[in-house]
């Protein structure tokens, strides 16, 4: 296999749009380097691989839709926190059932379950790319947690952080204006 063919294979580490724009020039430069240096040495190939290893990941990261990846991770986290919120509400219900249960406590638990189910739905909506449905679910979850907090002021700090912080954070991200990517896919 020729050195140029190996180099062309290594260039596949770069994003397709970058290769389309600069690939020919990079191959021409590589030919010049091959004429000036000894292609059969380990040092030559180490320098070539090092250059690609340094520059290709940054260009790949720039070319990918980083915001979409972050939103998918946020959606997965939201689904997990929604499930954990439901489990937490069941644990609260079991813990509270050992004593006298009043209507306010039951309503707070029901609102907690509702908020968690809405978070779960928002996470699924984000994964499916349905931002409007996700926004509605997040706002409804936020309202539900606020009412539960007013009814049950002894809500744990973690529940408050998740119940208020997560929906507000996701709503900010969902309404945040997005810049178009600088690198266009080929």
């Amino acid at each position: 296999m020729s050195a140029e063919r190996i180099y062309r294979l290594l260039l596949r580490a770069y994003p397709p749009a970058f290769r389309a724009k600069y690939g020919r020039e990079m191959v021409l430069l590589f030919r010049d380097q091959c004429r000036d240096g000894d292609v059969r040495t380990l040092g030559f190939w180490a320098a070539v691989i090092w250059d690609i290893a340094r520059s290709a990941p940054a260009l790949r990261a720039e070319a990918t839709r980083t915001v979409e990846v972050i939103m998918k991770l946020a959606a997965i986290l939201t689904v997990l926190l929604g499930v954990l919120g439901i489990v937490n509400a069941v644990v609260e219900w079991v813990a509270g059932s050992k004593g006298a249960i009043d209507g306010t406590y039951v309503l707070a638990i029901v609102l907690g379950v509702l908020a968690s189910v809405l978070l779960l739905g928002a996470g699924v909506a984000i994964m499916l790319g349905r931002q409007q449905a996700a926004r509605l679910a997040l706002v409804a979850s936020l309202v539900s947690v606020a009412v539960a907090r007013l009814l049950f002021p002894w809500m744990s700090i973690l529940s408050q952080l998740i119940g208020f912080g997560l929906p507000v954070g996701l709503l900010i991200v969902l309404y945040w204006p997005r810049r178009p990517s600088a690198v266009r896919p080929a």
Side-chain angles (χ1 to χ4, degrees), residues 9-23:
L9 285 173
L10 290 172
L11 286 181
R12 297 190 84 33
Y14 290 100
F18 183 83
R19 284 195 318 264
K21 191 171 184 179
Y22 299 108

Side-chain angles (χ1 to χ4, degrees), residues 31-173:
R31 283 181 191 163
D32 291 343
Q33 289 175 339
C34 287
R35 267 187 267 125
D36 295 341
D38 189 7
V39 180
R40 294 172 286 173
T41 64
L42 184 63
F44 177 84
W45 285 105
V48 168
I49 291 171
W50 174 251
D51 180 51
I52 292 171
R54 257 183 333 131
S55 58
L59 289 167
R60 278 267 181 201
E62 192 177 302
T64 59
R65 300 182 185 269
T66 309
V67 173
E68 291 168 2
V69 171
I70 291 170
M71 287 308 294
K72 295 289 183 186
L73 291 173
I76 291 168
L77 177 67
T78 305
V79 167
L80 288 173
L81 289 174
V83 169
L84 287 174
I86 293 169
V87 170
N88 182 46
V90 170
V91 169
E92 286 285 336
W93 178 264
V94 170
S97 67
K98 295 181 179 164
I101 299 177
D102 64 343
T104 307
Y105 183 77
V106 171
L107 185 58
I109 295 293
V110 169
L111 287 171
V113 169
L114 177 65
S116 297
V117 168
L118 288 167
L119 273 181
L120 184 75
V124 170
I126 291 170
M127 280 190 221
L128 296 175
R130 303 193 193 301
Q131 290 189 358
Q132 189 61 30
R135 289 176 184 139
L136 289 172
L138 288 168
V139 168
S141 174
L142 193 57
V143 169
S144 178
V145 169
V147 171
R149 173 69 172 97
L150 291 172
L151 291 173
F152 194 68
W154 301 280
M155 185 185 288
S156 73
I157 299 291
L158 181 63
S159 295
Q160 291 180 53
L161 285 173
I162 292 170
F164 291 114
L166 183 65
V168 167
L170 285 173
L171 282 169
I172 289 170
V173 170

